[in-house]
Amino acid sequence: MIPKKNPNVDLEKRKSLFFEIGMVVALAVTFVSFEWKSNVKQATQFTSEVEFTVDEEMVPITRQEEIKAPPKLPPKIKIADVITIVDDDVELEEELEIVEEEINQETEVDIQPIREVVAEEEEEDEAQIFVIVEEMPIFRPDICKTQKEGDAELYRHIYKSLRYPVLAQENGITGRVFVKFIVGKDGGIYDVEVLRGVDPSLDQEAIRVIKNLPKFSPGKQRGKPVNVSYTSVIKFVLQ
C-alpha cells in the first residue's frame, strides 16, 4: 500500500529542532525581563484627601440635688409615773371594811329572781318580726316537705281562689299586686297589707285571697316558732 502523505512534509522529523527553538526563545525572554529597568518616583509628601471629623459627644451637665435633712422631730416627752409617798400616820378617807360572818346551814340567803329577765326576753321575741329565719314557714305542711314545694303550692292555691273583678275586666286593667303579711307563731295570717297596688278592685281581691289562706307551718329560730314577714306577688292577667 502506498502512503498518500508526502514524507518531505512530515513534522515529526523536525520535532527536536522546534523544541530547541522554543528553549532559546524562553531563555531570551527571561534574560530580557531581568535586565529591564523602570523609573520609580519617590513620594516626597503624603497628603490625606479626606479629612475625618470626629463628633465629640456632648455630655449633659447634671447637678446633684441637695439632700434636705429630715425635719427635726420634737423631743419625746417621757411620762414618768408619779408616786406619792404617804406617811403611815395619814389616815385614808375610804377604807375597805371586811366583815366576817358565820354561815351555816340555817343561814338565809336572799337570791334575786331571774324569771323577770327571762320573761322580758320572751316578750321581746314574741313582739319581734323576722324576715329571714333558720326555718322559713312552709305552706300546707301536710303536702309539702320543703319551702320550695310550699311556695309552688301557695301560688297554685292563690290562683285557684282568685276571682277577677268584673269592673277591672271591663276596663282591661291588669298588673301585679305586691302583698305583705305576717305568718304568726301559730301559722296564721296577720297584718295583711298592699305594698304596691294596681287598682282598688284588684288590691281588695288580693287581700281577700291572702286572708283566706290556710295555716302555714310556722318559721323557727333557734328551734322556737317566731313571727315571720312574708311577701307575695299576685299577677292579674286577662286572657
Side-chain angles (χ1 to χ4, degrees):
M1 183 176 179
I2 300 172
K4 294 181 179 181
K5 192 172 181 181
N6 190 359
N8 295 327
V9 187
D10 190 7
L11 297 178
E12 289 293 333
K13 296 179 179 180
R14 296 180 179 86
K15 183 188 293 185
S16 60
L17 178 61
F18 290 152
F19 180 73
E20 292 176 357
I21 293 171
M23 291 295 293
V24 171
V25 173
L27 289 173
V29 172
T30 305
F31 180 75
V32 171
S33 64
F34 278 111
E35 293 296 330
W36 186 270
K37 295 181 180 180
S38 61
N39 295 325
V40 180
K41 294 181 180 180
Q42 295 181 355
T44 57
Q45 186 178 2
F46 294 96
T47 59
S48 59
E49 294 182 357
V50 181
E51 294 182 357
F52 295 95
T53 58
V54 179
D55 295 335
E56 294 182 358
E57 186 178 356
M58 298 297 293
V59 179
I61 300 172
T62 58
R63 294 181 181 179
Q64 188 175 2
E65 296 182 357
E66 296 180 358
I67 300 173
K68 296 181 179 180
K72 294 183 179 180
L73 298 175
K76 294 183 179 179
I77 301 172
K78 295 182 179 180
I79 301 173
D81 295 333
V82 179
I83 300 173
T84 55
I85 300 172
V86 182
D87 296 336
D88 294 339
D89 298 337
V90 178
E91 295 181 358
L92 298 176
E93 295 180 358
E94 296 180 0
E95 291 183 358
L96 181 62
E97 294 182 0
I98 299 173
V99 180
E100 295 182 0
E101 293 183 359
E102 294 181 359
I103 299 174
N104 50 27
Q105 295 179 354
E106 297 180 355
T107 305
E108 295 181 358
V109 180
D110 294 334
I111 299 175
Q112 295 181 356
I114 307 175
R115 294 180 180 178
E116 296 179 358
V117 179
V118 176
E120 290 179 359
E121 292 180 357
E122 290 179 354
E123 289 178 359
E124 290 180 358
D125 291 341
E126 290 180 359
Q128 188 175 2
I129 299 172
F130 293 86
V131 178
I132 298 175
V133 291
E134 295 173 354
E135 297 180 18
M136 293 295 291
I138 299 176
F139 181 74
R140 296 291 299 275
D142 54 335
I143 300 175
C144 306
K145 302 299 181 183
T146 63
Q147 182 189 358
K148 187 175 181 180
E149 293 176 356
D151 291 341
E153 184 64 25
L154 170 64
Y155 283 102
R156 192 178 296 111
H157 181 85
I158 288 174
Y159 289 115
K160 281 183 180 179
S161 305
L162 198 65
R163 298 173 186 173
Y164 212 112
V166 178
L167 184 61
Q169 289 182 10
E170 293 175 354
N171 295 324
I173 300 173
T174 60
R176 296 188 298 176
V177 180
F178 292 79
V179 183
K180 177 184 176 184
F181 57 94
I182 295 172
V183 179
K185 294 192 298 182
D186 57 350
I189 306 300
Y190 302 97
D191 300 336
V192 182
E193 60 178 338
V194 176
L195 292 178
R196 190 173 68 184
V198 178
D199 183 78
S201 59
L202 299 182
D203 298 347
Q204 291 298 324
E205 178 61 17
I207 291 173
R208 183 192 69 79
V209 172
I210 295 297
K211 283 184 176 180
N212 293 327
L213 289 175
K215 286 188 175 183
F216 285 63
S217 173
K220 294 182 180 180
Q221 183 73 7
R222 299 176 185 175
K224 296 181 179 180
V226 291
N227 299 324
V228 180
S229 178
Y230 215 93
T231 303
S232 294
V233 182
I234 301 176
K235 297 180 181 179
F236 289 89
V237 181
L238 290 174
Q239 295 179 355

